[in-house]
Amino acid sequence: MRRKSLCQAVSLLTVAAMLAGCDNTFAANDSISKVNGLTEAQAARMAQMQKGGVFVEKAPYYGKEVRVAQGPVHGKPLPRQYQGVHGFSVAFSGADMAMISSEITKQTGIPVNIRTRYTLPDGKLVEIPIGSRLTLSHSGSLSRFLDLVADRMDVGWTYDGTAITFDRMVTKTYALPIPTTSSKFTTSIAGVTGTQSGASRSASLTTQSTEDPWGELKSALGPVTPSPAYANFQPDIGRVTIFGPPSVQAQAASVIDDFNATFSARIGLQIGVFWVKADRSADFEAALGAAGSHFALTGPSGALSGNGVATITSGIATLNLQALAQNQDVVDYRLGSTIAQSGVVSPIVLTTTQNYVSGTNVTSGVGGTTSTSITTSSVDTGLSIHALPRLISSHKIQLDLTVLNNDLTALQTFNAGTSTVQLPTVDQRAIHNDSVLRPGETLILSGYEQETATRTKTRSFGFLGGGNKSDRQKVRMIIIVRPTIIPLNGA
């Protein structure tokens, strides 16, 4: 038994010696590694110093990062010694502005001014006292303390590098992208007046909209800027100045931000007018359906086969009006696009002026000579589109659309004795629509048909043979409008 115990002791001593040897090896390797690291660092430092560079020490960071609540800069930065963790410590109970100012000067040596007297635009001098009292315990940066005082006593503060000033009233100026003038948008569509069984019948539609953004801004700011606070408007340069305590400034800024969001966005309008063969409307509708994913047309017999049907579709962002114009079922087309501001009328006029003889005057001279004078007039044919887009939220557009289409179908000659005049026949169609769309939605107006007649004359060689060829067909007018919102600065 004694022999066995002796063997175990010898074994333990051997293992301990081996472990000690391993520890010594590891310690030696670690020391060598540290020495090599220091040597390399020193070599790098010396190399940087020789090049005139700056060597960044990779020193470990121990401890906990301390963040000090800092208020925003009002004027010039406050002295750094008062912006630390214990830069300014104070405890108040029911202190007025005079007591607070005195304590600031006592601890920092910075003089404090209290401004409560102001001159109004009409020249009157007003005194607006600061009647609030403050209970507060604070230890931290001076700027944070000044912010707390300003927030609770409804005052503003600034530092000009020499003194701190508390202002009972604050003046701020805002720049707004609002149209400088007001505008009126009037649509008048007159119907046919006739009689039947002795009764007169007539139909007409007149709508009028007045856009006065600055008037609306005045109405919105009036309740939030009570006297002696006020709002001064300068529409010509797009500025509004608000005079009032910080609480009034906050309410006014909320109203102004809403106007800024509405009028700073630009609204893009893409408009296409297509004349399609009436008997091929289904094929054209199929081409529309193939142009956009998730495209759906409403109506029991298709959106394009009804009469005066207005359809709003979604998922048609890939629709290319230029490519659609090349469809074989399209007889004629007009395309237009514009970028508008909310509340500003955007006209797109695609017309042709046709002159005609509206009157003649024959005068007799000496010796039986006669002279004829001609009076000419003109008629505009084509499309006149007036769009009034309004941004009513970040994802909705109200679009007031008026389309006038004049088509010169005939120009007849009328002879009266020796005088000849021309009588134009104009087919006029007017469409008015008011819709609310999301960006990327497509408005389709359809169902307006007319009959057209064409005649061509052919001749063979030697003026022998030939003939006339005429054709009559019904054409349906289809209007496609797609609005988009274009944010500023790619936002």
Side-chain angles (χ1 to χ4, degrees):
M1 180 65 99
R2 185 178 298 173
R3 185 185 179 112
K4 185 177 180 181
S5 299
L6 182 61
C7 290
Q8 290 178 349
V10 171
S11 299
L12 291 174
L13 289 173
T14 303
V15 172
M18 292 176 64
L19 292 175
C22 290
D23 290 340
N24 292 334
T25 301
F26 291 148
N29 290 338
D30 186 52
S31 298
I32 293 172
S33 177
K34 288 182 179 180
V35 171
N36 290 337
L38 294 173
T39 303
E40 292 175 359
Q42 186 64 24
R45 184 182 295 105
M46 292 299 295
Q48 286 291 92
M49 292 176 63
Q50 290 174 0
K51 295 178 182 179
V54 177
F55 183 79
V56 179
E57 225 17 283
K58 294 182 179 179
Y61 173 75
Y62 299 101
K64 198 172 184 180
E65 184 179 8
V66 178
R67 292 183 176 271
V68 183
Q70 303 285 342
V73 176
H74 297 269
K76 294 185 177 181
L78 290 164
R80 293 186 61 183
Q81 64 265 34
Y82 306 119
Q83 290 290 85
V85 181
H86 304 291
F88 187 80
S89 299
V90 70
F92 286 121
S93 178
D96 59 12
M97 184 56 70
M99 295 172 60
I100 295 171
S101 302
S102 176
E103 184 64 25
I104 293 173
T105 303
K106 178 181 176 182
Q107 291 195 33
T108 65
I110 302 175
V112 178
N113 302 320
I114 304 174
R115 186 182 302 163
T116 59
R117 186 173 297 179
Y118 303 91
T119 302
L120 298 179
D122 57 3
K124 292 183 179 179
L125 190 66
V126 293
E127 177 79 21
I128 309 173
I130 304 173
S132 304
R133 289 183 174 272
L134 182 66
T135 298
L136 175 67
S137 178
H138 170 80
S139 179
S141 66
L142 177 59
S143 60
R144 178 59 179 162
F145 171 74
L146 295 176
D147 283 341
L148 292 173
V149 173
D151 181 59
R152 298 190 184 183
M153 304 191 76
D154 198 14
V155 297
W157 71 270
T158 57
Y159 177 66
D160 61 2
T162 303
I164 296 173
T165 301
F166 286 106
D167 267 297
R168 182 67 181 93
M169 307 292 274
V170 180
T171 302
K172 289 187 178 181
T173 300
Y174 302 86
L176 287 84
I178 298 180
T180 57
T181 59
S182 61
S183 61
K184 289 185 178 180
F185 182 65
T186 303
T187 299
S188 181
I189 302 176
V192 177
T193 301
T195 58
Q196 182 178 7
S197 303
S200 176
R201 299 185 305 167
S202 63
S204 63
L205 170 66
T206 301
T207 60
Q208 181 171 326
S209 174
T210 301
E211 299 295 325
D212 187 8
W214 284 98
E216 295 173 4
L217 181 60
K218 289 180 181 179
S219 300
L221 287 177
V224 301
T225 54
S227 181
Y230 64 84
N232 184 29
F233 301 90
Q234 296 174 289
D236 292 338
I237 60 174
R239 297 288 188 274
V240 58
T241 302
I242 306 297
F243 173 78
S247 59
V248 167
Q249 295 289 348
Q251 297 181 60
S254 178
V255 174
I256 292 172
D257 288 344
D258 181 60
F259 273 75
N260 263 326
T262 299
F263 290 97
S264 63
R266 295 167 293 176
I267 302 175
L269 295 176
Q270 189 176 16
I271 301 175
V273 183
F274 302 90
W275 286 266
V276 182
K277 300 174 184 177
D279 57 349
R280 301 294 298 272
S281 296
D283 296 335
F284 185 78
E285 181 175 340
L288 276 176
S293 60
H294 307 294
F295 181 77
L297 294 174
T298 62
S301 57
L304 305 184
S305 57
N307 186 18
V309 177
T311 303
I312 299 176
T313 66
S314 60
I316 195 171
T318 58
L319 176 63
N320 189 325
L321 298 185
Q322 288 281 1
L324 192 64
Q326 306 305 318
N327 186 278
Q328 60 182 354
D329 305 310
V330 176
V331 177
D332 195 7
Y333 68 92
R334 296 289 187 274
L335 302 179
S337 62
T338 184
I339 296 178
Q341 190 178 18
S342 178
V344 178
V345 179
S346 298
I348 300 176
V349 180
L350 306 170
T351 60
T352 302
T353 301
Q354 174 68 50
N355 295 323
Y356 65 93
V357 179
S358 60
T360 60
N361 185 24
V362 180
T363 57
S364 299
V366 180
T369 60
T370 59
S371 62
T372 304
S373 60
I374 298 175
T375 302
T376 62
S377 297
S378 63
V379 58
D380 291 332
T381 61
L383 281 172
S384 176
I385 303 172
H386 290 78
L388 176 60
R390 300 183 185 91
L391 186 65
I392 57 178
S393 70
S394 60
H395 59 281
K396 288 184 180 179
I397 302 170
Q398 181 185 8
L399 182 62
D400 195 325
L401 184 70
T402 300
V403 181
L404 300 176
N405 179 42
N406 290 338
D407 189 13
L408 182 62
T409 58
L411 189 59
Q412 298 178 350
T413 300
F414 179 76
N415 296 319
T418 59
S419 299
T420 301
V421 295
Q422 293 176 312
L423 303 177
T425 302
V426 180
D427 181 14
Q428 184 180 63
R429 283 166 291 173
I431 304 169
H432 179 256
N433 182 269
D434 196 344
S435 302
V436 176
L437 305 170
R438 290 192 299 267
E441 284 189 331
T442 302
L443 174 66
I444 299 177
L445 301 174
S446 178
Y448 304 92
E449 293 185 2
Q450 70 177 13
E451 188 173 281
T452 62
T454 59
R455 181 178 180 182
T456 57
K457 187 175 182 180
T458 60
R459 293 180 179 178
S460 61
F461 291 104
F463 300 100
L464 298 176
N468 297 327
K469 182 180 179 181
S470 60
D471 181 35
R472 299 179 69 87
Q473 63 180 355
K474 287 187 176 180
V475 177
R476 178 172 289 120
M477 184 172 68
I478 300 170
I479 302 172
I480 299 177
V481 184
R482 181 168 54 204
T484 57
I485 297 177
I486 306 173
L488 295 178
N489 300 325

